[in-house]
Amino acid sequence: MWKASFVMAGMDSAVVGTNGNHLSGSSSSPLPPLVFKVADNQVAGHRFEEGRVGSLIDDSGRFYKPLQTGARGDKEVNFFKRFHSDVNVPSSVKSFFPNFFGTIEIDTPNGGGLVRHAVMENLTNGFQHPSVMDVKIGFRTWYLEAGPKYVEKCKLKDQETTSAALGIRVSGMMVYEANKGEAWKAGRDWCKYIKTEAVSEALVRFASSNPSAEKEYDGAFCKAVYGATLTELQKLKSWFEEQKSYHFHSASVLIVYEGKPSRTQTVSVRLVDFAHVVYDKNEIDDNFLSGLNALMKMLTEIIDSVGNVDTSASHK
């Protein structure tokens, strides 16, 4: 952990804090020093490991995502500004997207120097023992506007993983195992090399009380977790069936549920990763919508295999 003191400035400006960090935000009021921590609940993307700059959190419920240099970092920031100010997007849809608070440059402790981070809502905040899964949506993660080199890279990865075949890819997963008092976390290679025929089993594993087992996952929470997830995804689907302003490439559905057993199961369903959004194509985003349908179909089949939907889950 390390501290960062800073002063909020206008969205298009920055000021230097007492330790050299720079923040762009939306208020001129000084904030007390923050203590940054490694985002241990992160399951995909920029993890703080092996000497690499990664995502951070603080105790106020905010998440700090390192931005790539140049246009890709700017694209994600510009998406948040545009999307959250778009009066044509219903507030019920905006609630699926993380709140955005600006950007900050953080002097990282592993020799990375000043790195620009997007400051957003910590989507696992409020969960005592979160179980988290990142599912990348779409049969293709590439888009022509990105250029031939990026397109070829994404095409290869889509073919090597389950994206091209299924329209979804499990990018990361951690599951709290109550009887052991610890979380099982999937490694990068485990996610990367999941076979097409094993994706359904991986989804069952996420909603099981024995995720660290090698096989025969009990699917104890499938009805509650995926019943609530489908309810939320249906709301998203309704919007995607109509909207033509945003095309989401390489974005993910993030499912979080409380791993500590209780009478009712709290489930959160949100969207993340917006560095590859394309605007105003005047057509339905069939790629994302098809992937969303594929995920919903697979979750429905899992629920049907374990019985009727459990109505004891609550949404967050």
Side-chain angles (χ1 to χ4, degrees), residues 11-79:
M11 187 63 75
D12 297 321
S13 63
V15 294
V16 181
T18 58
N19 65 344
N21 294 329
H22 303 254
L23 179 73
S24 297
S26 58
S27 168
S28 59
S29 301
L31 293 177
L34 290 178
V35 177
F36 292 132
K37 305 173 185 177
V38 174
D40 289 331
N41 294 331
Q42 185 178 7
V43 296
H46 301 275
R47 299 186 195 179
F48 208 108
E49 60 186 8
E50 300 172 359
R52 292 183 291 186
V53 174
S55 299
L56 305 166
I57 59 172
D58 65 26
D59 289 330
S60 73
R62 295 189 177 186
F63 180 88
Y64 300 79
K65 177 181 178 179
L67 295 168
Q68 298 188 46
T69 57
R72 286 183 66 179
D74 290 338
K75 279 195 70 175
E76 187 149 22
V77 171
N78 291 337
F79 165 78

Side-chain angles (χ1 to χ4, degrees), residues 84-106:
H84 282 297
S85 63
D86 190 341
V87 297
N88 295 313
V89 179
S91 58
S92 59
V93 172
K94 289 180 180 178
S95 67
F96 284 99
F97 294 75
N99 290 320
F100 177 67
F101 305 106
T103 63
I104 181 175
E105 289 187 338
I106 300 174

Side-chain angles (χ1 to χ4, degrees), residues 33 182 185 289:
E182 62 185 20
K185 196 167 190 176
L289 181 59

Side-chain angles (χ1 to χ4, degrees), residues 16 18 34 49 77 94 107 127-128 142 168 185 210 240-241 256 301 303 306 312:
V16 181
T18 58
L34 290 178
E49 60 186 8
V77 171
K94 289 180 180 178
D107 192 4
F127 288 89
Q128 185 175 355
W142 55 271
I168 63 172
K185 196 167 190 176
N210 60 335
F240 273 96
E241 288 175 334
V256 185
E301 291 171 350
I303 288 174
V306 296
S312 63

